[in-house]
Amino acid sequence: MNSVSPSGVQYMVGGGAHEPSSQSRHHNGHGPVPDGIREEPDEVDRLKAKFMSAWNNVKYGWTVKSKTTFNKTSPLFLLGQSYLFNSEDEVERFRQVFVSCVWLTYRREFPQLEGSSLTSDCGWGCMLRSGQMLLAQGLLQHLLPPDWRWSDCHSLSDVDFEVLKPRSPSRPAGMSLPSFSSSWTSPVSQRDPSSGSNEGHRRTLEQCPAVSHDPQVEALHRKVVSLFGDHPSAPFGVHQLVQLGKESGKRAGDWYGPSVVAHMLRKAVAKSAEFQNLAVYVAQDCTVYKGDVMHLCESPLTQELPESSGTGWKSVIILVPVRLGGESLNPSYIECVKNILKLKCCIGIIGGKPKHSLFFIGFQDEQLLYLDPHYCQPVVDVTQGNFSLESFHCNSPRKMNFSRMDPSCTIGFYAQTKTDFESLCYAVSEALSSSKEKYPIFTFVEGRGQNYGLEGQSSGSTDGPANIFSCHRTSRNNKRGSADEFVLL
């Protein structure tokens, strides 16, 4: 079996800093290798790669038992939906949505990356994996029905639900209550397929009409996962992203920042022949230019068709690289981030802790809910029609305090129709207005970027510098502000 059951996966604790080491950079040389020229690794490089691969497999392969505690009295927001864990039905609803998210992690033993000796992305590819998860969430919303849930999604594991109260010297942080039914709390690894121990799990699924059993829909689900396979032909796999990263001066083994990954995802979707009806727009200078989005999404071949036909507009994923403070997160932006994560049009945030990328998909109280790519799994051959989906879905939700969030991140949104895009602009603008800072995280403006002196467009064939500009401006007259650049992760 090629996959590892996510029921046994416990996220790595500590050791998360992924500063590219000299070992991981041994193949870089003193400059980029021109396209078409393959740098052949020597025997020493191969041995180093094998050693680093073995070390990373140990470092990111260990499992540590720990539990995530959820407050039963506070709402949790996940991908625009609210959940209050005061009943089994509500926990079951959350379980189906969380486990249905595509989870992409480190992999080992995949085909060698071109121009290097690397056969694993352990220790350096976490931002690529987070970007993949953001794009995968957008594709699920683009291709699958809104109420789709994975029919084989597993039970939650290593979670507690408590009535949490404020800390005080004389009172503990939480008061445990009896657990709900074990039909959703028992780990998958504890269920014996040959016995009736998973009968309760099957009954739970049968009682939930939202779970999809449509073979065509499930085929689309499998198709989405296969697009991120770890082989050179996968359009959104690590091999393809590393190739696209060369245009920004990045190579396999380098650290990738959230704005660089945003542009790599845009290029990957534009290059793919399978998504002619989907576009990716990357904001510039913390500004979404509505005219550029309209120009990108209006198909020249179908502009004359009525909007009701649904063929004159490309669906769009909007990626907004931002910085929410200086060396650490500015607390004034926390409420704004919460309001953004409450929106149904938000497909997540790629960021994390400093030099430790995570994919944020929701929050509860003062803690972010995330999917973590820092677990090394064997490669899965997604070219096989019946490949296992088990290792591409996680059933162990994790949380992290907002105060630990790195200020560099990229926020993702999805709009299927022109009307959806207009609604998105209004809803996001309202969410941004909640910031206590003088200036919002980013803005929407009319017109196109070229009208404000921007030389290139995020949808064009050429890119400017891979970094982006600071959102802290001295003026917001819908023009480009300070040219102070910030350092990416």
Side-chain angles (χ1 to χ4, degrees):
M1 184 174 180
N2 289 331
S3 63
V4 173
S5 171
S7 63
V9 173
Q10 303 306 320
Y11 294 120
M12 181 197 68
V13 178
H18 300 329
E19 187 78 41
S21 62
S22 59
Q23 291 98 326
S24 65
R25 291 178 178 271
H26 63 267
H27 55 278
N28 286 348
H30 300 286
V33 178
D35 291 338
I37 299 179
R38 183 185 176 95
E39 184 180 349
E40 293 293 342
D42 57 23
E43 189 62 30
V44 174
D45 289 332
R46 291 191 181 94
L47 291 175
K48 285 182 178 180
K50 288 181 179 180
F51 173 79
M52 290 305 300
S53 177
W55 167 249
N56 284 323
N57 289 341
V58 172
K59 184 177 180 180
Y60 302 109
W62 282 108
T63 61
V64 179
K65 287 288 183 182
S66 61
K67 287 191 176 182
T68 300
T69 301
F70 291 96
N71 193 345
K72 294 177 64 175
T73 61
S74 298
L76 179 143
F77 291 88
L78 168 62
L79 296 173
Q81 297 287 340
S82 176
Y83 305 86
L84 187 61
F85 300 127
N86 55 5
S87 69
E88 282 193 55
D89 290 342
E90 196 74 347
V91 174
E92 173 63 15
R93 193 166 68 94
F94 164 77
R95 180 190 70 84
Q96 290 181 1
V97 175
F98 177 81
V99 181
S100 295
C101 294
V102 175
W103 180 44
L104 300 166
T105 72
Y106 289 152
R107 296 283 174 172
R108 62 178 181 269
E109 300 167 1
F110 53 61
Q112 184 174 299
L113 293 166
E114 185 175 355
S116 79
S117 304
L118 298 173
T119 58
S120 172
D121 62 320
C122 281
W124 59 269
C126 58
M127 186 63 76
L128 295 181
R129 298 298 184 179
S130 296
Q132 286 180 323
M133 285 190 274
L134 178 68
L135 179 57
Q137 183 58 38
L139 295 182
L140 289 179
Q141 295 193 20
H142 180 62
L143 296 173
L144 276 64
D147 60 348
W148 172 80
R149 305 290 182 266
W150 183 34
S151 60
D152 294 330
C153 61
H154 300 304
S155 303
L156 294 179
S157 68
D158 302 300
V159 293
D160 275 338
F161 295 84
E162 300 179 352
V163 175
L164 299 181
K165 298 180 179 180
R167 289 182 180 273
S168 69
S170 59
R171 185 168 56 192
M175 178 177 66
S176 298
L177 294 183
S179 299
F180 293 125
S181 169
S182 60
S183 63
W184 54 263
T185 56
S186 60
V188 178
S189 59
Q190 295 178 3
R191 296 199 309 266
D192 183 1
S194 63
S195 69
S197 59
N198 60 351
E199 188 173 333
H201 178 63
R202 288 198 302 268
R203 284 199 302 268
T204 302
L205 293 178
E206 291 169 359
Q207 294 168 358
C208 300
V211 174
S212 171
H213 296 280
D214 186 337
Q216 292 184 335
V217 173
E218 285 307 302
L220 281 176
H221 166 217
R222 187 176 292 273
K223 175 65 175 178
V224 169
V225 173
S226 69
L227 296 171
F228 299 89
D230 296 294
H231 60 89
S233 63
F236 308 134
V238 168
H239 293 74
Q240 183 62 231
L241 295 181
V242 167
Q243 284 296 108
L244 294 173
K246 290 181 178 180
E247 300 175 20
S248 299
K250 297 291 185 179
R251 303 189 56 197
D254 286 350
W255 173 259
Y256 296 80
S259 84
V260 172
V261 170
H263 284 280
M264 291 162 64
L265 296 177
R266 174 184 62 79
K267 294 173 184 176
V269 172
K271 186 178 179 180
S272 174
E274 299 185 49
F275 292 97
Q276 298 298 314
N277 63 339
L278 176 67
V280 175
Y281 172 88
V282 181
Q284 302 175 86
D285 196 13
C286 300
T287 305
V288 176
Y289 294 95
K290 295 182 182 179
D292 284 339
V293 178
M294 300 284 284
H295 179 75
L296 182 64
C297 295
E298 290 174 342
S299 175
L301 299 177
T302 56
Q303 281 180 343
E304 298 180 359
L305 295 177
E307 185 181 340
S308 60
S309 66
T311 57
W313 178 267
K314 291 183 179 181
S315 299
V316 62
I317 292 174
I318 298 175
L319 303 179
V320 187
V322 296
R323 188 170 182 91
L324 310 177
E327 293 299 318
S328 60
L329 177 71
N330 185 336
S332 300
Y333 289 127
I334 291 178
E335 196 64 30
C336 185
V337 174
K338 287 182 178 181
N339 287 337
I340 288 174
L341 288 170
K342 290 179 182 179
L343 301 176
K344 292 184 178 180
C345 60
C346 179
I347 56 176
I349 300 174
I350 56 175
K353 295 177 280 189
K355 297 175 182 176
H356 182 102
S357 180
L358 303 169
F359 177 45
F360 299 120
I361 53 178
F363 72 95
Q364 185 182 46
D365 296 326
E366 300 307 310
Q367 293 187 307
L368 288 153
L369 180 72
Y370 63 84
L371 288 169
D372 192 342
H374 297 87
Y375 183 74
C376 189
Q377 303 189 79
V379 68
V380 174
D381 185 2
V382 299
T383 63
Q384 301 297 318
N386 61 342
F387 70 89
S388 174
L389 290 164
E390 192 175 9
S391 65
F392 295 100
H393 293 277
C394 177
N395 65 340
S396 299
R398 291 289 178 261
K399 295 195 298 181
M400 180 192 83
N401 197 282
F402 271 96
S403 63
R404 301 174 63 193
M405 180 181 179
D406 192 279
S408 293
C409 58
T410 290
I411 307 172
F413 304 95
Y414 172 76
Q416 188 169 39
T417 66
K418 185 176 181 180
T419 301
D420 290 339
F421 171 66
E422 293 169 348
S423 298
L424 181 155
C425 294
Y426 176 80
V428 176
S429 296
E430 286 290 305
L432 294 172
S433 66
S434 65
S435 173
K436 297 178 182 178
E437 282 291 299
K438 183 178 180 180
Y439 304 118
I441 295 175
F442 63 95
T443 59
F444 291 83
V445 300
E446 302 294 338
R448 302 185 62 182
Q450 61 191 15
N451 299 332
Y452 300 94
L454 297 184
E455 297 177 358
Q457 301 174 28
S458 69
S459 59
S461 58
T462 60
D463 287 324
N467 53 357
I468 65 175
F469 293 90
S470 171
C471 298
H472 301 290
R473 297 172 173 77
T474 57
S475 173
R476 284 302 309 187
N477 296 324
N478 292 342
K479 293 185 179 181
R480 195 170 188 163
S482 170
D484 292 336
E485 297 173 353
F486 65 78
V487 180
L488 293 171
L489 285 177

